[in-house]
Amino acid sequence: MGRKERRIDGRYPLVLSVDYPDAAHSVRDYTENLSSGGLFVRTERTFSPGERVRLLLSFPGLLQPQELEVEVLRRRTEGPGGPAGVAVAVPPDAAASRARLGKLVEAARAAPAPRSPYRLLLVEDNSLVAAMYTSALKRLSRSEGLGGLGVELATDGAEALDRLRAEPPIHIVVTDVYMPVMSGFALLEAMRADPALSDIPVVVITSGNAEERRQAARLGADFFLQKPVKYQDIIATIRTLLASGGREAVHRR
């Protein structure tokens, strides 16, 4: 979807993490898009239409948590339309929440195009899948006005670590979990233990298994992409980095 279309419908595909301050031991969820009045949350949790829920929206390490009070409008079951989730809106009497959501939408609208290539390291051992991801990412980066996304490939975690410790710097890592030599989990653990690499955002591609997601979260994953991956989600994650000022922070590493 191009910028002109996004402005017409008022929706912005920012990928933000969603936590629930009123729930104990909750698995983190993610937004699919935002508008000035509400958003869509990808979640397996059960909510009832009309229920009010408190959400904490953030981009770990880049955007401070923003608390919103929302009302559940409807639920989407998993299918061709995408993963399961709920559409929510900010109630008319929640002025503070509406103001916070409005600022996030304004940040998305005003996100600058990068002035230099933005480098993404894709860690994937299946060459066919890697080629498909790379082609789609480069095509989408041109249509989304991201200034030419540089996509590099590593076939396992060990190769990825070698590249991450070299120049020029990598700005975001997208990694599969199960690979030979070094898994995505081991790569993530090694990155978070290395001060020179610990602040690089990492997106983990998972099968959607809850325990797999919990383990990745414990090791420091920022986001998850569920198989089969929607290429647009990766672009939306990069747009979130730009909108939150994360690109400048990552360049200072």
Side-chain angles (χ1 to χ4, degrees):
M1 182 181 296
R3 178 170 293 274
K4 182 177 180 181
E5 291 174 274
R6 288 198 303 274
R7 293 194 177 208
I8 290 174
D9 65 20
R11 295 181 181 274
Y12 295 85
L14 284 185
V15 176
L16 302 175
S17 69
V18 180
D19 293 293
Y20 305 90
D22 296 331
H25 309 296
S26 173
V27 174
R28 176 173 287 165
D29 292 324
Y30 297 91
T31 63
E32 185 169 296
N33 56 47
L34 302 173
S35 70
S36 58
L39 58 146
F40 188 90
V41 180
R42 296 183 180 183
T43 181
E44 297 290 340
R45 293 165 56 90
T46 301
F47 294 107
S48 302
E51 181 179 354
R52 288 202 175 192
V53 184
R54 286 198 305 146
L55 309 178
L56 283 178
L57 303 185
S58 64
F59 193 110
L62 298 169
L63 176 68
Q64 291 299 313
Q66 301 290 312
E67 183 172 324
L68 302 181
E69 180 182 3
V70 298
E71 181 177 328
V72 177
L73 299 178
R74 61 185 179 278
R75 180 168 180 80
R76 182 179 75 191
T77 57
E78 184 172 359
V86 290
V88 301
V90 177
D93 59 350
S97 293
R98 186 171 296 276
R100 294 188 189 107
L101 183 57
K103 288 181 180 179
L104 290 174
V105 171
E106 285 302 315
R109 183 181 294 120
R115 290 186 296 273
S116 59
Y118 195 83
R119 286 176 292 276
L120 180 149
L121 180 62
L122 174 65
V123 191
E124 170 60 65
D125 64 311
N126 185 311
S127 59
L128 178 59
V129 171
M132 291 170 59
Y133 285 176
T134 300
S135 175
L137 285 167
K138 289 183 176 179
R139 183 174 65 252
L140 284 172
S141 72
R142 290 192 294 270
S143 66
E144 293 292 330
L146 294 183
L149 177 67
V151 181
E152 299 186 30
L153 177 65
T155 56
D156 60 65
E159 184 179 336
L161 274 180
D162 287 342
R163 173 60 188 90
L164 287 165
R165 289 166 176 159
E167 293 292 337
I170 294 294
H171 304 106
I172 190 167
V173 172
V174 177
T175 180
D176 199 359
V177 171
Y178 300 108
M179 297 175 290
V181 185
M182 178 183 281
S183 71
F185 286 149
L187 168 64
L188 181 57
E189 188 172 20
M191 289 179 64
R192 294 308 183 230
D194 186 335
L197 307 177
S198 61
D199 63 348
I200 299 176
V202 178
V203 179
V204 175
I205 299 174
T206 78
S207 62
N209 178 279
E211 178 53 39
E212 191 175 285
R213 290 179 61 181
R214 279 192 287 268
Q215 182 177 355
R218 285 194 297 268
L219 292 173
D222 295 294
F223 287 96
F224 305 92
L225 294 176
Q226 185 170 331
K227 296 179 179 179
V229 174
K230 293 174 65 178
Y231 307 123
Q232 188 71 23
D233 289 350
I234 302 176
I235 296 298
T237 302
I238 295 170
R239 183 181 295 107
T240 304
L241 279 166
L242 297 176
S244 63
R247 182 173 181 273
E248 288 75 17
V250 173
H251 271 297
R252 289 196 297 268
R253 74 173 181 88

